[in-house]
Amino acid sequence: MSIAEYVIAALFIAVGAGTQACIGIGMGLIAGPILVVMEPTFVPGPMLMVAGGINVRNAIADRASLNAPAMRRQLMAAPLGLVGGVALLAALSDRSLAIAVSLFVLLAVAVQAVGTRPPEGRLADYAAGAGTAFSSSVAAVPGPVYAVFASHWPPAALRATMATYMLVVGTAIIVALAIIGEFGLRQLWLGLGLLPAVVLGLPIGRWLRPRLAGPRFRMIVLGVAATSATAVLIRQLVSA
């Protein structure tokens, strides 16, 4: 990776981190499609490492709002999604991975934009756990899937519960990737190299919270994510 590419990647990570610190999702949406084109091995392992930095912040800052019963049910269902996602990832080429990430992002944006609201309760918790583990292991895009099933929660509860869930599941995914040979020293250094960009994103999140809260900010995030994913998808299809 060149210096210019690193700077671009760090900027996207910083914006994604600030967004996730503000609304609980955004890292994979904003940074994932660009990073997978720059360096396919960024997704999912290094991206999950980087997102772990902001998840630590959200889990600690909003810990009083943690929905522990829901998270326990989500963790019980996570292995199902994890196994399916890791199996699919092992079969994808670099180009297929870039297309898969873009399609995941576009599908997640569409679901969020339409405002789909699934049934609440225990079944929704199990679905959130399995679906989020699957999308995380394939595309490092957990937020939109999780948010669909927890969109009716208070913002602090969504941030705290998703962050704590992803600290457990993200670690499990990285271990699984290491076992199948998809996460090694190269991926480790890529993740560590971009962790400082998360620190840059924290003040962005603090600045954004009082200024762009609510539907307006949500639409901006979805718009940026859709544009980024569409550009990557077109590039991959044209180069076929």
Side-chain angles (χ1 to χ4, degrees), residues 6 10 49-50 188-197:
Y6 177 83
M49 278 185 62
V50 174
L188 177 64
W189 287 118
L190 283 172
L192 290 175
L194 284 173
L195 275 177

Side-chain angles (χ1 to χ4, degrees), residues 49-111:
M49 278 185 62
V50 174
I54 205 68
N55 285 332
V56 169
R57 180 265 167 212
N58 284 351
I60 294 174
D62 296 307
R63 61 188 179 279
S65 300
L66 175 69
N67 188 337
M71 187 186 70
R72 284 194 292 269
R73 288 188 286 269
Q74 291 162 3
L75 289 174
M76 288 175 62
L80 181 63
L82 174 61
V83 170
V86 171
L88 178 60
L89 180 67
L92 293 177
S93 65
D94 289 349
R95 179 174 175 272
S96 297
L97 178 60
I99 293 174
V101 171
S102 300
L103 291 176
F104 265 116
V105 170
L106 289 173
L107 177 61
V109 167
V111 171

Side-chain angles (χ1 to χ4, degrees), residues 28-29 33 98-114 141 144 222-234 237:
L29 275 174
I99 293 174
V101 171
S102 300
L103 291 176
F104 265 116
V105 170
L106 289 173
L107 177 61
V109 167
V111 171
Q112 289 283 296
V114 170
V141 184
L222 294 179
V224 171
T227 301
S228 176
T230 301
V232 171
L233 185 59
I234 291 174
L237 294 176

Side-chain angles (χ1 to χ4, degrees), residues 50-233:
V50 174
I54 205 68
N55 285 332
V56 169
R57 180 265 167 212
N58 284 351
I60 294 174
D62 296 307
R63 61 188 179 279
S65 300
L66 175 69
N67 188 337
M71 187 186 70
R72 284 194 292 269
R73 288 188 286 269
Q74 291 162 3
L75 289 174
M76 288 175 62
L80 181 63
L82 174 61
V83 170
V86 171
L88 178 60
L89 180 67
L92 293 177
S93 65
D94 289 349
R95 179 174 175 272
S96 297
L97 178 60
I99 293 174
V101 171
S102 300
L103 291 176
F104 265 116
V105 170
L106 289 173
L107 177 61
V109 167
V111 171
Q112 289 283 296
V114 170
T116 300
R117 183 169 177 171
E120 301 175 14
R122 294 175 180 269
L123 183 59
D125 293 335
Y126 291 126
T132 302
F134 179 82
S135 65
S136 299
S137 56
V138 174
V141 184
V145 177
Y146 195 99
V148 164
F149 290 97
S151 59
H152 56 289
W153 292 5
L158 190 154
R159 286 194 301 267
T161 311
M162 178 184 163
T164 307
Y165 168 89
M166 281 308 302
L167 286 174
V168 177
V169 172
T171 301
I173 291 172
I174 290 174
V175 171
L177 292 174
I179 291 173
I180 67 172
E182 295 290 336
F183 189 92
L185 286 177
R186 176 172 175 76
Q187 288 81 4
L188 177 64
W189 287 118
L190 283 172
L192 290 175
L194 284 173
L195 275 177
V198 173
V199 179
L200 296 177
L202 293 179
I204 295 176
R206 286 195 296 270
W207 182 82
L208 285 174
R209 278 196 185 192
R211 289 171 171 80
L212 289 177
R216 181 185 175 193
F217 183 52
R218 179 172 172 272
M219 294 310 298
I220 291 174
V221 172
L222 294 179
V224 171
T227 301
S228 176
T230 301
V232 171
L233 185 59

Side-chain angles (χ1 to χ4, degrees), residues 30-53:
I30 292 174
I34 297 299
L35 294 186
V36 77
V37 171
M38 289 184 175
E39 174 56 67
T41 52
F42 263 125
V43 177
M47 269 294 298
L48 290 172
M49 278 185 62
V50 174

